[in-house]
Protein backbone atom coordinates (compact mmCIF):
# COMPACT_ATOMS: atom_id res chain seq x y z
CA UNK A 1 0.00 0.00 0.00
CA UNK A 2 1.06 3.56 -0.63
CA UNK A 3 1.88 5.50 2.55
CA UNK A 4 2.88 8.82 1.01
CA UNK A 5 3.46 10.35 -2.41
CA UNK A 6 6.77 8.52 -2.97
CA UNK A 7 6.72 5.54 -0.62
CA UNK A 8 4.96 2.17 -0.50
CA UNK A 9 4.72 -0.29 2.37
CA UNK A 10 5.12 -3.95 1.41
CA UNK A 11 4.25 -6.67 3.92
CA UNK A 12 4.40 -10.44 3.60
CA UNK A 13 4.47 -13.39 6.00
CA UNK A 14 7.78 -14.73 7.23
CA UNK A 15 8.69 -18.17 5.95
CA UNK A 16 8.05 -20.98 8.43
CA UNK A 17 11.55 -22.43 7.95
CA UNK A 18 13.34 -19.11 8.47
CA UNK A 19 11.28 -18.52 11.62
CA UNK A 20 12.03 -21.99 12.94
CA UNK A 21 15.76 -21.49 12.34
CA UNK A 22 15.68 -18.06 14.02
CA UNK A 23 17.07 -16.32 10.95
CA UNK A 24 15.21 -13.04 11.50
CA UNK A 25 17.32 -10.45 13.33
CA UNK A 26 17.55 -6.67 13.55
CA UNK A 27 18.92 -4.57 10.71
CA UNK A 28 18.61 -7.13 7.93
CA UNK A 29 17.62 -6.86 4.28
CA UNK A 30 15.73 -9.01 1.80
CA UNK A 31 15.84 -9.27 -1.97
CA UNK A 32 12.39 -8.66 -3.44
CA UNK A 33 10.96 -9.33 -6.87
CA UNK A 34 7.63 -8.21 -8.34
CA UNK A 35 6.87 -10.74 -11.13
CA UNK A 36 4.26 -8.47 -12.71
CA UNK A 37 7.00 -5.90 -13.36
CA UNK A 38 9.91 -8.22 -14.12
CA UNK A 39 10.69 -11.89 -13.57
CA UNK A 40 14.43 -11.29 -13.33
CA UNK A 41 14.82 -7.97 -11.50
CA UNK A 42 15.55 -8.42 -7.78
CA UNK A 43 16.49 -5.57 -5.46
CA UNK A 44 17.52 -5.48 -1.78
CA UNK A 45 15.48 -3.51 0.75
CA UNK A 46 16.03 -2.97 4.47
CA UNK A 47 13.61 -4.71 6.82
CA UNK A 48 11.60 -2.52 9.20
CA UNK A 49 9.93 -5.31 11.16
CA UNK A 50 11.32 -6.67 14.39
CA UNK A 51 12.67 -10.22 14.83
CA UNK A 52 9.54 -11.39 16.66
CA UNK A 53 7.01 -9.80 14.28
CA UNK A 54 4.99 -12.33 12.24
CA UNK A 55 5.48 -10.40 8.98
CA UNK A 56 8.33 -8.85 7.02
CA UNK A 57 7.80 -5.12 6.50
CA UNK A 58 9.72 -3.12 3.93
CA UNK A 59 9.30 0.47 2.75
CA UNK A 60 10.19 1.34 -0.82
CA UNK A 61 10.80 4.95 -1.78
CA UNK A 62 10.75 6.16 -5.38
CA UNK A 63 14.42 7.11 -5.73
CA UNK A 64 15.42 5.31 -8.93
CA UNK A 65 13.87 3.94 -12.12
CA UNK A 66 12.87 0.56 -10.66
CA UNK A 67 11.54 1.90 -7.36
CA UNK A 68 9.51 4.51 -9.26
CA UNK A 69 7.95 1.66 -11.24
CA UNK A 70 7.08 -0.13 -7.99
CA UNK A 71 5.37 2.95 -6.52
CA UNK A 72 3.42 3.52 -9.72
CA UNK A 73 2.43 -0.15 -9.84
CA UNK A 74 1.24 0.04 -6.23
CA UNK A 75 -1.00 2.98 -7.17
CA UNK A 76 -2.52 1.01 -10.05
CA UNK A 77 -3.13 -2.06 -7.89
CA UNK A 78 -4.70 0.02 -5.12
CA UNK A 79 -7.08 1.63 -7.62
CA UNK A 80 -8.19 -1.85 -8.76
CA UNK A 81 -8.13 -3.31 -5.21
CA UNK A 82 -5.72 -5.91 -6.55
CA UNK A 83 -3.37 -8.06 -4.49
CA UNK A 84 0.29 -7.96 -5.54
CA UNK A 85 2.41 -11.10 -5.88
CA UNK A 86 5.83 -10.70 -4.25
CA UNK A 87 8.78 -13.06 -4.25
CA UNK A 88 11.47 -12.70 -1.60
CA UNK A 89 14.93 -14.07 -0.92
CA UNK A 90 16.40 -13.68 2.54
CA UNK A 91 16.76 -12.31 5.12
CA UNK A 92 20.47 -11.54 4.88
CA UNK A 93 22.99 -9.62 6.92
CA UNK A 94 23.06 -8.53 10.50
CA UNK A 95 24.16 -5.49 12.47
CA UNK A 96 27.88 -5.41 13.37
CA UNK A 97 27.09 -4.95 17.05
CA UNK A 98 24.85 -6.24 19.83
CA UNK A 99 22.74 -3.25 20.82
CA UNK A 100 21.70 -4.94 24.07
CA UNK A 101 25.19 -4.53 25.52
CA UNK A 102 25.07 -0.72 25.63
CA UNK A 103 23.59 1.51 28.32
CA UNK A 104 23.03 4.47 25.99
CA UNK A 105 22.20 4.33 22.29
CA UNK A 106 22.08 7.13 19.72
CA UNK A 107 20.52 6.41 16.33
CA UNK A 108 21.05 8.93 13.53
CA UNK A 109 19.01 8.38 10.38
CA UNK A 110 18.57 10.26 7.12
CA UNK A 111 15.23 9.93 5.33
CA UNK A 112 14.27 6.35 4.50
CA UNK A 113 17.44 5.29 6.35
CA UNK A 114 15.26 5.20 9.46
CA UNK A 115 14.02 1.74 8.34
CA UNK A 116 16.69 -0.46 10.03
CA UNK A 117 16.48 1.78 13.10
CA UNK A 118 12.75 1.02 13.36
CA UNK A 119 13.64 -2.68 13.30
CA UNK A 120 15.94 -2.27 16.31
CA UNK A 121 13.43 -0.07 18.16
CA UNK A 122 10.73 -2.72 17.71
CA UNK A 123 13.10 -5.27 19.21
CA UNK A 124 13.84 -3.02 22.20
CA UNK A 125 10.30 -1.80 22.82
CA UNK A 126 8.33 -4.78 21.51
CA UNK A 127 5.64 -6.40 23.64
CA UNK A 128 7.30 -7.90 26.68
CA UNK A 129 10.81 -7.52 25.28
CA UNK A 130 12.15 -5.87 28.42
CA UNK A 131 10.98 -8.85 30.46
CA UNK A 132 11.91 -11.63 28.02
CA UNK A 133 15.40 -10.44 27.07
CA UNK A 134 18.16 -9.22 29.32
CA UNK A 135 19.82 -6.00 28.23
CA UNK A 136 21.76 -3.03 29.58
CA UNK A 137 19.86 -0.28 27.75
CA UNK A 138 18.79 2.67 29.91
CA UNK A 139 18.11 5.33 27.29
CA UNK A 140 17.69 5.58 23.53
CA UNK A 141 17.95 8.75 21.44
CA UNK A 142 16.85 8.97 17.81
CA UNK A 143 17.85 11.85 15.51
CA UNK A 144 15.91 11.66 12.25
CA UNK A 145 16.79 14.11 9.48
CA UNK A 146 14.24 14.57 6.68
CA UNK A 147 13.96 17.20 3.93
CA UNK A 148 10.33 18.02 4.76
CA UNK A 149 8.36 17.72 7.99
CA UNK A 150 5.52 15.83 6.31
CA UNK A 151 7.88 12.88 5.72
CA UNK A 152 7.84 12.23 9.48
CA UNK A 153 4.36 10.73 8.99
CA UNK A 154 6.00 7.61 7.53
CA UNK A 155 6.68 6.12 10.97
CA UNK A 156 4.75 8.50 13.22
CA UNK A 157 2.48 5.73 14.55
CA UNK A 158 5.39 3.47 15.47
CA UNK A 159 7.46 6.26 17.04
CA UNK A 160 4.53 7.60 19.07
CA UNK A 161 3.78 4.09 20.31
CA UNK A 162 7.40 3.59 21.37
CA UNK A 163 7.39 6.91 23.19
CA UNK A 164 4.23 5.96 25.11
CA UNK A 165 5.70 2.58 26.06
CA UNK A 166 8.83 4.26 27.43
CA UNK A 167 6.62 6.46 29.63
CA UNK A 168 4.17 3.79 30.79
CA UNK A 169 6.52 0.85 31.40
CA UNK A 170 9.28 1.41 33.95
CA UNK A 171 11.20 -1.55 32.52
CA UNK A 172 11.51 0.15 29.14
CA UNK A 173 14.48 2.44 28.36
CA UNK A 174 13.92 6.19 28.21
CA UNK A 175 13.21 7.37 24.67
CA UNK A 176 14.11 10.71 23.09
CA UNK A 177 13.16 11.62 19.53
CA UNK A 178 14.34 14.64 17.54
CA UNK A 179 13.06 15.15 13.99
CA UNK A 180 14.91 17.72 11.90
CA UNK A 181 13.40 19.13 8.70
CA UNK A 182 16.13 20.78 6.67
CA UNK A 183 14.19 22.25 3.75
CA UNK A 184 11.07 23.62 5.45
CA UNK A 185 10.37 26.84 7.27
CA UNK A 186 8.96 26.94 10.78
CA UNK A 187 5.45 27.84 9.62
CA UNK A 188 5.19 24.60 7.64
CA UNK A 189 2.44 22.31 8.89
CA UNK A 190 4.05 19.41 10.72
CA UNK A 191 2.62 16.04 11.62
CA UNK A 192 0.38 16.06 14.72
CA UNK A 193 2.10 14.57 17.75
CA UNK A 194 5.58 15.12 16.37
CA UNK A 195 7.99 17.82 17.47
CA UNK A 196 9.98 19.03 14.50
CA UNK A 197 13.10 21.19 14.55
CA UNK A 198 13.55 23.24 11.39
CA UNK A 199 17.33 23.10 11.19
CA UNK A 200 20.21 20.68 10.92
CA UNK A 201 21.03 18.78 14.12
CA UNK A 202 23.80 19.97 16.40
CA UNK A 203 25.68 16.74 16.92
CA UNK A 204 27.96 18.19 19.55
CA UNK A 205 24.88 18.91 21.65
CA UNK A 206 23.46 15.45 20.91
CA UNK A 207 26.62 13.67 22.04
CA UNK A 208 26.98 15.88 25.12
CA UNK A 209 23.43 15.06 26.19
CA UNK A 210 24.10 11.38 25.63
CA UNK A 211 27.18 11.51 27.84
CA UNK A 212 25.21 13.31 30.55
CA UNK A 213 22.49 10.64 30.50
CA UNK A 214 24.91 7.72 30.40
CA UNK A 215 24.46 5.45 33.43
CA UNK A 216 27.44 5.67 35.77
CA UNK A 217 27.80 1.90 35.96
CA UNK A 218 28.00 1.50 32.17
CA UNK A 219 30.87 2.92 30.15
CA UNK A 220 29.88 2.26 26.55
CA UNK A 221 27.72 4.40 24.26
CA UNK A 222 26.55 3.10 20.90
CA UNK A 223 26.17 5.56 18.02
CA UNK A 224 24.70 4.12 14.81
CA UNK A 225 24.05 6.13 11.64
CA UNK A 226 22.19 5.11 8.50
CA UNK A 227 21.66 7.29 5.45
CA UNK A 228 18.92 7.22 2.81
Amino acid sequence: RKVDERTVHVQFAKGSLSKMLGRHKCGQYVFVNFPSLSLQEWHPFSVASGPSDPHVDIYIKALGDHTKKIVKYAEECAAKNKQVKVRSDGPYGTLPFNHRRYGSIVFVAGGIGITPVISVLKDIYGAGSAKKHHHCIRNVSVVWIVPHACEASLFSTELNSIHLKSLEDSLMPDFDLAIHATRDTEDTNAIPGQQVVYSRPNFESVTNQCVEKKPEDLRSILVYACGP
Side-chain angles (χ1 to χ4, degrees):
R1 76 186 165 88
K2 195 172 180 182
V3 292
D4 65 29
E5 288 301 314
R6 301 176 60 199
T7 310
V8 294
H9 173 205
V10 178
Q11 183 183 83
F12 51 89
K14 291 179 177 177
S16 55
L17 181 60
S18 63
K19 285 197 295 184
M20 184 179 68
L21 296 175
R23 292 187 57 197
H24 293 276
K25 306 181 185 303
C26 296
Q28 294 182 306
Y29 62 93
V30 292
F31 285 91
V32 175
N33 169 257
F34 295 85
S36 299
L37 293 178
S38 171
L39 292 173
Q40 298 179 335
E41 200 158 7
W42 293 74
H43 289 265
F45 296 98
S46 296
V47 175
S49 45
S52 60
D53 289 347
H55 297 91
V56 173
D57 292 294
I58 61 175
Y59 289 79
I60 302 174
K61 190 168 185 176
L63 297 174
D65 291 341
H66 185 65
T67 50
K68 288 177 181 177
K69 289 179 184 178
I70 294 173
V71 172
K72 183 178 179 181
Y73 180 58
E75 286 182 338
E76 295 170 353
C77 291
K80 300 175 183 178
N81 197 23
K82 174 184 175 183
Q83 290 290 322
V84 179
K85 182 179 180 181
V86 180
R87 297 190 296 173
S88 68
D89 179 20
Y92 294 104
T94 185
L95 295 174
F97 52 80
N98 181 357
H99 58 278
R100 295 183 172 276
R101 296 179 56 190
Y102 297 86
S104 295
I105 301 177
V106 179
F107 292 116
V108 181
I112 199 66
I114 191 74
T115 305
V117 174
I118 294 294
S119 173
V120 181
L121 292 176
K122 286 182 177 180
D123 182 57
I124 296 172
Y125 294 94
S129 66
K131 301 174 184 177
K132 292 179 181 178
H133 307 289
H134 297 292
H135 63 73
C136 302
I137 308 168
R138 307 285 180 81
N139 54 73
V140 177
S141 298
V142 175
V143 181
W144 188 13
I145 303 102
V146 293
H148 306 286
C150 61
E151 296 185 32
S153 64
L154 185 60
F155 290 108
S156 60
T157 301
E158 289 86 350
L159 293 171
N160 285 334
S161 174
I162 288 168
H163 185 238
L164 286 176
K165 286 181 180 179
S166 72
L167 296 175
E168 296 171 352
D169 191 339
S170 60
L171 294 176
M172 293 292 182
D174 293 339
F175 181 70
D176 293 312
L177 171 65
I179 300 174
H180 292 261
T182 58
R183 297 183 186 175
D184 283 339
T185 57
E186 292 190 14
D187 59 352
T188 304
N189 290 327
I191 301 302
Q194 300 289 348
Q195 287 189 331
V196 179
V197 180
Y198 295 93
S199 66
R200 297 179 183 275
N202 182 335
F203 286 110
E204 182 177 358
S205 175
V206 171
T207 53
N208 286 341
Q209 289 178 14
C210 186
V211 171
E212 291 174 4
K213 294 178 181 179
K214 182 181 73 65
E216 293 183 3
D217 57 329
L218 297 171
R219 296 182 178 180
S220 300
I221 299 174
L222 170 65
V223 179
Y224 175 67
C226 186

